[in-house]
Each structure stands twice: as structure tokens, then as C-alpha cells.
Amino acid sequence: MADPEHPTAPQEVDKPAMTVGGRRMVDIAVDAVSVCRRTVLVGPTRTGVPEYVVQTRESPAGGGPVAALAAGLRSLDDRADPEGTADLVVVIASDIPFLDAQAVVSLIDSMQNTQADAVFARDDAGRTQFLLGVWRYAALRSAVAQLDSVDGAPMRTILPADHLVIAVSGVEDCDTRADLLAARLAARPSETLELGDALHRIRSRIPALPIRRIPLQDSAGTVLAEPLVSQTALPAVDISAMDGYAVCGTEPWTLRSDIAYAGSADIARLTEGTAVRIATGAALPPGATSVVRDEHMTRESDHSARRIPTAPQSDDTRRRGEDWLPGTELVAAFTPIDAAVRSLAASAEVFEVAVRGPVRGRVIISGNEIRSTGPLAPGQTRDVLGSVLPEYLAHCGITVVDVTLLDDSATGFRDVLTRTQDVDVIVVVGATGGGAADQLRATLAGIDAETVVGRMRMRPGGSQITAALPDGTVVLGLPGNPLAAVGTAMLTAPAIVDALTGRTVGPSRIGLLSNAAEVRSATPRIVPVTADGTRWRADTQVRTAHLGHLVGRDALAVIPAEVSADEPVTILPLPHR
């Protein structure tokens, strides 16, 4: 298999290393020839290819496709083949983004049904791809050997007169950046997903963040990556559960003058028939057999103490390990760390935890017309989301580190989508449609981001997009209308946080509508709702250009298509301060 370079190009580009649909084209090529007995990869040494692939280099480096073929043949000649010399050799270039094994098999099958020296593919545009073909080994070796020099020799110098060309679909190569962009656009999923399918795809396809070990006090907003396991017993020793008396043996007890306080450790041993005052939380003195609370004890003038005859025969001692012993799993992995978990960890002497998160986000408000300060010119619009969207995203589990206004330009979008060092999620408001000013989708394709969800069957918010950049950073594209942006964020952002942190996904909150007939629609909808007794009342008239319909509302409801009065809807509670 050849991995040819193009030294005559005005700008040297390592095309095999370029990605389409998240895969390097060199890996696509290697996978396509997996049906072959041996594979030789010619060109710069590549990491990440299977160990069985033999790698070699043409001489001189950059000497062109024929030089690459010569190097590949030498590699085959130099290695003993226990099954004998191959009769057929598949030759392909590593710049065909949609090549698969089926295309290679069709070429091999055609070659086995002809006496020709080679069979080449003709792509859907009618071009013959001379670097996608099957040769008879002897014919290829002879054609290369007859050349005085292979350095820079064009493919036409070795083409056999006796060859066939067959039509093979989907084998266009990438000669230009425009070809590469077109391939990346074509590789994106185009279907509009139902809500459940979209959220499942987000949770299953976005990889989790790396695990970090951090101090407990820095763990707010993170999720446990490992179970929280106690490092000590609780209580660590036998302690008093009440203010009272630590006693030894049977009554009456002679009361000593010293007192056991919480945190003290110098109380002398009790002997049979003696007692000391003890405070709640204090360790039992050595020799103590039980604790009698104050209200169950009576003291005599001779410094003796007895249990009140009517008092129960109870022991108010908390024994060591009564709550847990060392090594007890207290909290399962994938649980969000909140104030209760942090307090519990401290009780268990755990001061460092393995976590994922917190999820850090950057908000990009796109649009040439958006202004945050100063008077508005005709056609301009005030930024009404930059200051409030971080609050909604925090409710979903994303901590926003900054907010940026962005003009609609391809270079601007490329800049913000490649500036990802300090964030895990980039939330882009606007530019998610297909209009002339909508740059997000084309820019994502240009940098070969993986489109996880391209569109969702939902109103408003159907144009939302969730994608993963090559470095793993997630992009959430929201519609530009304020209510649509907030509703989409409240719906989709939690699933992104689920994926990044690995947190356990609990059951959705559900409820019934009191006015289902009034909001029934052929398309699923996100609608503001207010509590209406045991049900929820949905807004029947909603404008998306502002957040007026969120004022005084308790939640958003995700209403299924053709909802009935007895069909539950998903409730997304709104943040309220």
C-alpha cells in the first residue's frame, strides 16, 4: 500500500494524517486493506497503526508515488512469505476518506475474473484513480524495475497497456482543502433525532474527563470517580452519646471528682464500683462498662450515685465502629460531590478524592448585531443572555469561566473553537442554522469535529448541535432566540455533564399537565410551566425573543407530540434565588 507525498504542491500537507469523521485517512486506508495477507505502509513513520503493518520510507523522501511503490515492493521482497509470493498487490493512496474494504474486495474480484495486468477504480465523478487499484505482482514489479529512476516519476510511466477500469462508488480522493472540507461535511450525521435518542447519544459518545486526585476542600462541583471509602472507624473509640456518668460495674458507684470531656485522653482507669462525670462525645475512660445519662442518675450526699429506680436499664455508649468501620464504602462512585458528601468524607478521615470535573464552560454569544454596551444602532440587538446564561448553565452543572461576544466570521469561529485549553465545553449561542451568517456548522466540519447530535426534533431548539472537537472539548450550539437558547441548554447541558463526569443518571422528574389539550402539538415542545395543584399548567402562548415567559415560572416542561391529559411530561426545574 502506498502513502505517496506530493512534492510539487505549493504547500506541503500531510494528507494521510488529516482526519475525516474523526479518523485519520491513513487509518481508513489501513482498515480498507484488512482483507489482505500483508500490509506495507510507505511514508513517514506513523504512530497508532496496527503492529502487523510494516512501515517503510521511499527514497528519496518525497520522491512521489512511484518511488513509494518501489519502496513497498522492496519491503515485500525483503520479507519471507510462508505462503509464497503474492499474486496480487493492492495499491491505494491514503487520501480517500470514504474508502472501505468492500471497495477493495470489488477490485480484487474484478482482477480475478480478468487476464489484465491491473484494475483501477473510477470514482463517481468519472475520474480514474490510478492510486486505487489491484496489480499483478509481477507486472507491477516489472514496470517499476524498467525505470532508470523512480524519483519524481509520474504514475503514467508504469501504467500497463493491458488494464481495466471499473466504477467504484465513494472513492473520491482529497486533492485540495475544499475536497477535505466537503468530505468532512459529508461525514457528519444528517438525521434529526428524537429527544431520547439524542440524549442517549450524547451520554454514550462523549468520553468522560480524565480522573484527578484533588484535596477534599477543592471538590465542589465534581463527581466521584471512585467509591468514597472510610479510612477510620466512626466513632473511632467508645464515646458517650449523652451528658451523664461513665460507670464501672454495679451500683452504687462512688463518684470521682474528675470529669471526662470531649477530646480529653488522660482520665484514669475506673475500678469496680466507681464513676466519673462524662460529656457528650467524650471517650469512655478505661474500665468503664456503660454510660448512664444525667436524667437517669441520682447523687447522694456521701458522693455516691445510683440509677433512678424507675429509669430504664439503658447504656448511652456509642461503640467504636457503630456508624462504620475502616474500609466501609460510604458513597458509590459516580455520585456528585455536594456539601453532604464533603462532610461525610471529612468524618471518615478522607481528605483527598478521585474525581472528574468540575465541568468548565465558555459562552460565546455570536452575531454581528449583538451589543452589550452603548446605544443600539438600527438593526442591532442587546445581549440579553451573556449575563444570565451562566446561571442556567451552573444549574445544569457547568461552571462558566468567561463570556465572549463574537462577530459572524469563519476566522472568528475557528479561533474560539481552537482556544480550548482552559475549558471542557464551549457553548455557542446563535449560528446553528443554515443561513448565510451561520458559521458554526461549517467551522466544526472544517476542523473535523465529530457531530454527536446534528439536529433534534424539538420546538424551539431543533437546530441545536452537540459536537466533540478533536481534542475532546464539547461544543453545544444553541439557537439564537433567548427562550430557545435557555430551553435547549436546560435540556441538553445536563446530558453533556453526565457524559463528561460519568455521574449516575437518575430518573427524570415527571408530572401531568392540567391543560394538555391547549398545548397539544404534532412536534415535541419545550414550554414554561407553573405549579397548578398536583399538576402543571403550561403557557399556551410563548414568544421566544425574550425571557418574559420565564418570569414567575417554576419549570420548563418537555411536552411529547400529541400529548394527552394522562401522559407524563418531563419537568426541568428552573433555578431560583
mmCIF file of all heavy atoms in Angstrom, residues 549-575:
data_model
loop_
_atom_site.group_PDB
_atom_site.id
_atom_site.type_symbol
_atom_site.label_atom_id
_atom_site.label_comp_id
_atom_site.label_asym_id
_atom_site.label_seq_id
_atom_site.Cartn_x
_atom_site.Cartn_y
_atom_site.Cartn_z
ATOM 1 N N HIS A 549 -41.373 34.931 29.485
ATOM 2 C CA HIS A 549 -42.196 33.772 29.847
ATOM 3 C C HIS A 549 -41.543 32.898 30.922
ATOM 4 O O HIS A 549 -42.148 31.900 31.335
ATOM 5 C CB HIS A 549 -42.505 32.933 28.611
ATOM 6 C CG HIS A 549 -43.475 33.582 27.678
ATOM 7 N ND1 HIS A 549 -44.841 33.507 27.840
ATOM 8 C CD2 HIS A 549 -43.279 34.365 26.587
ATOM 9 C CE1 HIS A 549 -45.440 34.192 26.879
ATOM 10 N NE2 HIS A 549 -44.523 34.717 26.109
ATOM 11 N N LEU A 550 -40.322 33.269 31.359
ATOM 12 C CA LEU A 550 -39.713 32.556 32.483
ATOM 13 C C LEU A 550 -39.938 33.281 33.799
ATOM 14 O O LEU A 550 -39.669 32.720 34.865
ATOM 15 C CB LEU A 550 -38.207 32.367 32.244
ATOM 16 C CG LEU A 550 -37.823 31.487 31.057
ATOM 17 C CD1 LEU A 550 -36.321 31.236 31.052
ATOM 18 C CD2 LEU A 550 -38.583 30.175 31.059
ATOM 19 N N VAL A 551 -40.421 34.515 33.728
ATOM 20 C CA VAL A 551 -40.665 35.275 34.953
ATOM 21 C C VAL A 551 -41.848 34.651 35.693
ATOM 22 O O VAL A 551 -42.945 34.500 35.153
ATOM 23 C CB VAL A 551 -40.949 36.752 34.634
ATOM 24 C CG1 VAL A 551 -41.282 37.511 35.922
ATOM 25 C CG2 VAL A 551 -39.751 37.385 33.938
ATOM 26 N N GLY A 552 -41.614 34.259 36.938
ATOM 27 C CA GLY A 552 -42.668 33.670 37.754
ATOM 28 C C GLY A 552 -42.978 32.232 37.428
ATOM 29 O O GLY A 552 -43.895 31.647 38.029
ATOM 30 N N ARG A 553 -42.258 31.631 36.502
ATOM 31 C CA ARG A 553 -42.496 30.229 36.160
ATOM 32 C C ARG A 553 -41.635 29.338 37.049
ATOM 33 O O ARG A 553 -40.535 29.699 37.464
ATOM 34 C CB ARG A 553 -42.210 29.945 34.688
ATOM 35 C CG ARG A 553 -42.947 30.818 33.686
ATOM 36 C CD ARG A 553 -44.441 30.888 33.943
ATOM 37 N NE ARG A 553 -45.147 31.509 32.837
ATOM 38 C CZ ARG A 553 -45.375 32.816 32.728
ATOM 39 N NH1 ARG A 553 -44.938 33.656 33.659
ATOM 40 N NH2 ARG A 553 -46.055 33.301 31.691
ATOM 41 N N ASP A 554 -42.129 28.143 37.295
ATOM 42 C CA ASP A 554 -41.417 27.214 38.167
ATOM 43 C C ASP A 554 -40.474 26.282 37.420
ATOM 44 O O ASP A 554 -39.490 25.801 37.989
ATOM 45 C CB ASP A 554 -42.427 26.354 38.943
ATOM 46 C CG ASP A 554 -43.333 27.193 39.827
ATOM 47 O OD1 ASP A 554 -42.798 27.958 40.638
ATOM 48 O OD2 ASP A 554 -44.567 27.089 39.676
ATOM 49 N N ALA A 555 -40.786 26.007 36.174
ATOM 50 C CA ALA A 555 -40.015 24.994 35.455
ATOM 51 C C ALA A 555 -40.286 25.113 33.964
ATOM 52 O O ALA A 555 -41.124 25.915 33.518
ATOM 53 C CB ALA A 555 -40.393 23.591 35.947
ATOM 54 N N LEU A 556 -39.553 24.316 33.215
ATOM 55 C CA LEU A 556 -39.854 24.058 31.810
ATOM 56 C C LEU A 556 -40.376 22.629 31.711
ATOM 57 O O LEU A 556 -39.941 21.749 32.464
ATOM 58 C CB LEU A 556 -38.611 24.222 30.940
ATOM 59 C CG LEU A 556 -37.998 25.619 30.862
ATOM 60 C CD1 LEU A 556 -36.642 25.564 30.177
ATOM 61 C CD2 LEU A 556 -38.917 26.574 30.118
ATOM 62 N N ALA A 557 -41.275 22.415 30.796
ATOM 63 C CA ALA A 557 -41.784 21.061 30.565
ATOM 64 C C ALA A 557 -41.439 20.635 29.150
ATOM 65 O O ALA A 557 -41.585 21.414 28.202
ATOM 66 C CB ALA A 557 -43.289 21.003 30.771
ATOM 67 N N VAL A 558 -40.957 19.406 29.014
ATOM 68 C CA VAL A 558 -40.714 18.822 27.701
ATOM 69 C C VAL A 558 -41.970 18.027 27.356
ATOM 70 O O VAL A 558 -42.228 16.962 27.918
ATOM 71 C CB VAL A 558 -39.477 17.918 27.711
ATOM 72 C CG1 VAL A 558 -39.224 17.367 26.315
ATOM 73 C CG2 VAL A 558 -38.259 18.680 28.214
ATOM 74 N N ILE A 559 -42.760 18.566 26.435
ATOM 75 C CA ILE A 559 -44.087 18.028 26.146
ATOM 76 C C ILE A 559 -44.014 17.139 24.901
ATOM 77 O O ILE A 559 -43.633 17.604 23.819
ATOM 78 C CB ILE A 559 -45.088 19.167 25.933
ATOM 79 C CG1 ILE A 559 -45.142 20.054 27.187
ATOM 80 C CG2 ILE A 559 -46.468 18.619 25.608
ATOM 81 C CD1 ILE A 559 -46.064 21.244 27.055
ATOM 82 N N PRO A 560 -44.352 15.863 25.005
ATOM 83 C CA PRO A 560 -44.309 14.980 23.837
ATOM 84 C C PRO A 560 -45.315 15.425 22.773
ATOM 85 O O PRO A 560 -46.277 16.147 23.047
ATOM 86 C CB PRO A 560 -44.696 13.615 24.414
ATOM 87 C CG PRO A 560 -44.516 13.738 25.889
ATOM 88 C CD PRO A 560 -44.768 15.163 26.219
ATOM 89 N N ALA A 561 -45.074 14.984 21.556
ATOM 90 C CA ALA A 561 -46.025 15.250 20.472
ATOM 91 C C ALA A 561 -47.371 14.599 20.791
ATOM 92 O O ALA A 561 -47.430 13.489 21.332
ATOM 93 C CB ALA A 561 -45.471 14.718 19.159
ATOM 94 N N GLU A 562 -48.431 15.309 20.466
ATOM 95 C CA GLU A 562 -49.803 14.811 20.653
ATOM 96 C C GLU A 562 -50.031 14.338 22.084
ATOM 97 O O GLU A 562 -50.609 13.287 22.346
ATOM 98 C CB GLU A 562 -50.093 13.669 19.666
ATOM 99 C CG GLU A 562 -49.861 14.012 18.205
ATOM 100 C CD GLU A 562 -50.759 15.148 17.694
ATOM 101 O OE1 GLU A 562 -51.724 15.512 18.405
ATOM 102 O OE2 GLU A 562 -50.485 15.668 16.601
ATOM 103 N N VAL A 563 -49.579 15.136 23.047
ATOM 104 C CA VAL A 563 -49.680 14.759 24.454
ATOM 105 C C VAL A 563 -51.145 14.630 24.870
ATOM 106 O O VAL A 563 -52.021 15.368 24.399
ATOM 107 C CB VAL A 563 -48.946 15.791 25.328
ATOM 108 C CG1 VAL A 563 -49.633 17.150 25.265
ATOM 109 C CG2 VAL A 563 -48.818 15.301 26.758
ATOM 110 N N SER A 564 -51.404 13.689 25.771
ATOM 111 C CA SER A 564 -52.748 13.521 26.330
ATOM 112 C C SER A 564 -52.748 13.996 27.780
ATOM 113 O O SER A 564 -51.702 14.203 28.388
ATOM 114 C CB SER A 564 -53.172 12.057 26.260
ATOM 115 O OG SER A 564 -52.370 11.268 27.118
ATOM 116 N N ALA A 565 -53.920 14.147 28.333
ATOM 117 C CA ALA A 565 -54.051 14.665 29.696
ATOM 118 C C ALA A 565 -53.399 13.747 30.721
ATOM 119 O O ALA A 565 -52.951 14.199 31.778
ATOM 120 C CB ALA A 565 -55.521 14.871 30.030
ATOM 121 N N ASP A 566 -53.349 12.456 30.445
ATOM 122 C CA ASP A 566 -52.802 11.494 31.401
ATOM 123 C C ASP A 566 -51.403 11.007 31.013
ATOM 124 O O ASP A 566 -50.923 10.011 31.554
ATOM 125 C CB ASP A 566 -53.740 10.293 31.533
ATOM 126 C CG ASP A 566 -55.090 10.677 32.107
ATOM 127 O OD1 ASP A 566 -55.109 11.534 33.013
ATOM 128 O OD2 ASP A 566 -56.112 10.145 31.632
ATOM 129 N N GLU A 567 -50.765 11.725 30.097
ATOM 130 C CA GLU A 567 -49.413 11.348 29.670
ATOM 131 C C GLU A 567 -48.401 12.213 30.405
ATOM 132 O O GLU A 567 -48.463 13.441 30.367
ATOM 133 C CB GLU A 567 -49.258 11.539 28.162
ATOM 134 C CG GLU A 567 -47.904 11.114 27.623
ATOM 135 C CD GLU A 567 -47.828 11.238 26.110
ATOM 136 O OE1 GLU A 567 -48.823 11.691 25.508
ATOM 137 O OE2 GLU A 567 -46.784 10.885 25.536
ATOM 138 N N PRO A 568 -47.451 11.600 31.116
ATOM 139 C CA PRO A 568 -46.488 12.409 31.871
ATOM 140 C C PRO A 568 -45.551 13.191 30.958
ATOM 141 O O PRO A 568 -45.222 12.757 29.851
ATOM 142 C CB PRO A 568 -45.724 11.366 32.699
ATOM 143 C CG PRO A 568 -45.883 10.086 31.948
ATOM 144 C CD PRO A 568 -47.225 10.153 31.286
ATOM 145 N N VAL A 569 -45.135 14.347 31.442
ATOM 146 C CA VAL A 569 -44.162 15.183 30.750
ATOM 147 C C VAL A 569 -42.936 15.319 31.636
ATOM 148 O O VAL A 569 -43.009 15.189 32.862
ATOM 149 C CB VAL A 569 -44.737 16.573 30.409
ATOM 150 C CG1 VAL A 569 -45.977 16.449 29.532
ATOM 151 C CG2 VAL A 569 -45.042 17.363 31.668
ATOM 152 N N THR A 570 -41.783 15.564 31.006
ATOM 153 C CA THR A 570 -40.548 15.754 31.763
ATOM 154 C C THR A 570 -40.486 17.184 32.275
ATOM 155 O O THR A 570 -40.694 18.141 31.524
ATOM 156 C CB THR A 570 -39.322 15.461 30.885
ATOM 157 O OG1 THR A 570 -39.384 14.094 30.446
ATOM 158 C CG2 THR A 570 -38.038 15.680 31.659
ATOM 159 N N ILE A 571 -40.190 17.342 33.557
ATOM 160 C CA ILE A 571 -40.128 18.648 34.208
ATOM 161 C C ILE A 571 -38.665 19.026 34.421
ATOM 162 O O ILE A 571 -37.881 18.258 34.995
ATOM 163 C CB ILE A 571 -40.874 18.636 35.555
ATOM 164 C CG1 ILE A 571 -42.340 18.241 35.350
ATOM 165 C CG2 ILE A 571 -40.760 19.986 36.248
ATOM 166 C CD1 ILE A 571 -43.119 19.200 34.477
ATOM 167 N N LEU A 572 -38.285 20.216 33.958
ATOM 168 C CA LEU A 572 -36.942 20.745 34.137
ATOM 169 C C LEU A 572 -37.045 21.950 35.068
ATOM 170 O O LEU A 572 -37.363 23.057 34.625
ATOM 171 C CB LEU A 572 -36.334 21.167 32.791
ATOM 172 C CG LEU A 572 -36.327 20.118 31.677
ATOM 173 C CD1 LEU A 572 -35.821 20.736 30.382
ATOM 174 C CD2 LEU A 572 -35.481 18.918 32.066
ATOM 175 N N PRO A 573 -36.805 21.764 36.370
ATOM 176 C CA PRO A 573 -36.942 22.890 37.303
ATOM 177 C C PRO A 573 -35.996 24.035 36.941
ATOM 178 O O PRO A 573 -34.853 23.817 36.533
ATOM 179 C CB PRO A 573 -36.571 22.281 38.664
ATOM 180 C CG PRO A 573 -36.798 20.808 38.492
ATOM 181 C CD PRO A 573 -36.454 20.515 37.057
ATOM 182 N N LEU A 574 -36.466 25.253 37.072
ATOM 183 C CA LEU A 574 -35.661 26.438 36.790
ATOM 184 C C LEU A 574 -34.909 26.874 38.041
ATOM 185 O O LEU A 574 -35.393 26.684 39.168
ATOM 186 C CB LEU A 574 -36.556 27.581 36.315
ATOM 187 C CG LEU A 574 -37.193 27.396 34.932
ATOM 188 C CD1 LEU A 574 -38.290 28.423 34.715
ATOM 189 C CD2 LEU A 574 -36.135 27.498 33.836
ATOM 190 N N PRO A 575 -33.735 27.462 37.877
ATOM 191 C CA PRO A 575 -33.020 27.969 39.059
ATOM 192 C C PRO A 575 -33.717 29.202 39.604
ATOM 193 O O PRO A 575 -34.112 30.096 38.858
ATOM 194 C CB PRO A 575 -31.630 28.304 38.500
ATOM 195 C CG PRO A 575 -31.840 28.568 37.052
ATOM 196 C CD PRO A 575 -32.980 27.684 36.632
#
